Amino acid sequence: MSLRSGALVASAAVATLAFGLAAPGQAAEHPTGGAAVKANPTLREVADRTGRFVGTAISDGRLGDAAYANIAKSEFSSVTAENAMKWGSVEPNRGQFNWAAADRLVSFAQSNNQKVYGHTLVWHSQMPNWLANGSFSNSELRTIMTNHVTTQVSRYKGKVQRWDVVNEAFNEDGTLRQSKFQQQLGESYIADAFRAARAADPNAKLFINDYNTEGTGAKSNGLYNLVQRLKSQGVPIDGVGFQSHLIVNQVPSTMKANLQRFADLGLEIVVSELDIRMATPADSTKLQQQAANYKTVAQTCLAISRCAGITVWGFGDRDSWVPGTFPGQGAANLYDNNYQPKPAYTAFRDGLAGS
């Protein structure tokens, strides 16, 4: 059963006037009187019109499901590996690489004219056991890290357009997280990772990525100050990813102003892992609130010229990481457990169109 409401269908009709969108089941004429455009345009078609990408995280193990794969390739212009490119997946044993899952993702993207967003090169979590529990001198650990970055980025040179080079480097109070790299190497590990990535692929855009940094506060201030230091040191950082694992009706009121201050540093901005969870079970009121929140985030990106696009962290509720991490919460995605579009889908599409 479709969960789209009459109100959201009506809002899609509004989009027709300005952007050539059509309400479900209707054709639309171009506002200048040109040929009719496709009814029910996909997310990627709408985002393309504003020069943004719209992406999704992909679970490699789900690509064999036809319904999953069809949505992934038709609705999104960019794909991010949910787990297949993380250190523990690609280098389970030191110096022994397993590229099978990551290669499948890249091949899937190439077959469907999609960009690839590489996630992630240096992170305190999901490290292989040999690294997480190994004992290394400072110089050896630095070499291990830069060799890993160099090897992975080199393999996908020209195939991955953006990389999350360093992921989740901050504590909630804005101090740097005491990861294995930070403890032994200090803040310099971040600059070294970016320099290694740039040397391996000069054309890929390099990002730092974190959560709970969408609004102004101690954590986003810490991130902002770090980015300023990196730029002043000539470190090749191109952008900042704001994960945006949000809660219904808790989209930060300062999100636009916060993202804009990073953009004003000359950086590309992306919403990198968007989902908006709620207390379950879902009901019509929560779903409408969630839809409005998704639209707000899309409109926020469009309001910032340097916001290049939005990636949702998976698109179907059945595949979401949320219930396993936040018991009693879920229903965070654009599609329900049966891959039927929720009100959030239409609202998000309207937001991407600028309506």
Side-chain angles (χ1 to χ4, degrees):
M1 179 179 69
S2 174
L3 296 175
R4 300 188 192 188
S5 71
L8 287 170
V9 168
S11 69
V14 172
T16 303
L17 300 176
F19 289 90
L21 300 184
Q26 297 179 357
E29 287 189 0
H30 191 278
T32 59
V37 298
K38 178 183 177 183
N40 299 322
T42 63
L43 297 176
R44 68 186 293 179
E45 288 170 339
V46 171
D48 281 349
R49 296 173 195 171
T50 65
R52 268 75 174 181
F53 71 81
V54 60
T56 183
I58 293 292
S59 173
D60 175 71
R62 299 290 296 128
L63 288 176
D65 181 303
Y68 180 96
N70 285 336
I71 293 172
K73 68 185 181 183
S74 64
E75 292 287 341
F76 301 99
S77 57
S78 172
V79 292
T80 301
E82 186 173 7
N83 290 297
M85 289 187 173
K86 291 173 180 172
W87 200 324
S89 298
V90 300
E91 194 181 2
N93 300 297
R94 186 174 180 179
Q96 297 179 358
F97 291 87
N98 180 358
W99 303 111
D103 283 355
R104 279 193 295 272
L105 179 76
V106 172
S107 178
F108 178 84
Q110 291 176 331
S111 298
N112 296 295
N113 193 30
Q114 295 168 310
K115 298 182 184 299
V116 180
Y117 200 123
H119 178 78
T120 178
L121 297 171
V122 181
W123 187 29
H124 70 276
S125 187
Q126 289 184 245
M127 294 191 293
N129 181 67
W130 65 266
L131 176 60
N133 298 313
S135 179
F136 312 101
S137 69
N138 291 354
S139 61
E140 185 178 16
L141 180 62
R142 194 181 301 273
T143 298
I144 287 170
M145 182 194 72
T146 55
N147 283 350
H148 174 82
V149 171
T150 299
T151 300
Q152 187 161 354
V153 176
S154 296
R155 180 175 183 84
Y156 297 110
K157 181 178 181 180
K159 298 178 180 179
V160 171
Q161 285 70 42
R162 293 174 176 85
W163 282 103
D164 284 334
V165 178
V166 175
N167 194 49
E168 299 177 2
F170 281 90
N171 298 312
E172 294 304 307
D173 64 0
T175 60
L176 285 165
R177 183 191 297 273
Q178 291 300 301
S179 65
K180 188 182 191 77
F181 305 104
Q182 177 68 25
Q183 286 179 340
Q184 288 196 228
L185 307 177
E187 184 181 308
S188 65
Y189 87 89
I190 298 174
D192 286 348
F194 274 89
R195 290 184 175 116
R198 174 67 88 233
D201 187 349
N203 295 318
K205 293 184 177 180
L206 308 180
F207 283 73
I208 189 166
N209 187 56
D210 219 318
Y211 63 94
N212 287 353
T213 55
E214 295 77 31
T216 55
K219 192 172 187 179
S220 61
N221 287 343
L223 177 60
Y224 183 83
N225 292 335
L226 171 67
V227 171
Q228 282 189 311
R229 291 196 298 275
L230 294 175
K231 287 182 67 66
S232 70
Q233 297 163 10
V235 176
I237 180 170
D238 299 305
V240 180
F242 298 86
Q243 291 186 16
S244 305
H245 296 295
L246 303 175
I247 301 171
V248 164
N249 283 346
Q250 294 185 30
V251 178
S253 61
T254 56
M255 185 172 183
K256 180 182 175 183
N258 183 51
L259 270 59
Q260 185 65 61
R261 66 170 173 161
F262 283 86
D264 289 344
L265 295 176
L267 296 166
E268 186 172 283
I269 303 303
V270 297
V271 176
S272 57
E273 304 183 18
L274 177 63
D275 51 31
I276 305 178
R277 64 186 184 270
M278 65 183 69
T280 50
D283 60 33
S284 59
T285 298
K286 295 174 189 175
L287 291 171
Q288 293 296 340
Q289 292 168 337
Q290 180 188 55
N293 293 162
Y294 264 102
K295 185 173 184 177
T296 293
V297 174
Q299 290 174 325
T300 298
C301 179
L302 259 66
I304 299 170
S305 62
R306 288 184 176 272
C307 184
I310 300 175
T311 294
V312 294
W313 204 245
F315 51 83
D317 287 342
R318 66 171 292 179
D319 307 304
S320 174
W321 68 288
V322 170
T325 305
F326 300 99
Q329 299 183 57
N333 300 105
L334 299 174
Y335 291 76
D336 66 18
N337 287 326
N338 297 313
Y339 296 130
Q340 294 302 303
K342 295 157 59 177
Y345 171 90
T346 306
F348 184 57
R349 189 183 70 175
D350 288 351
L352 290 172
S355 64

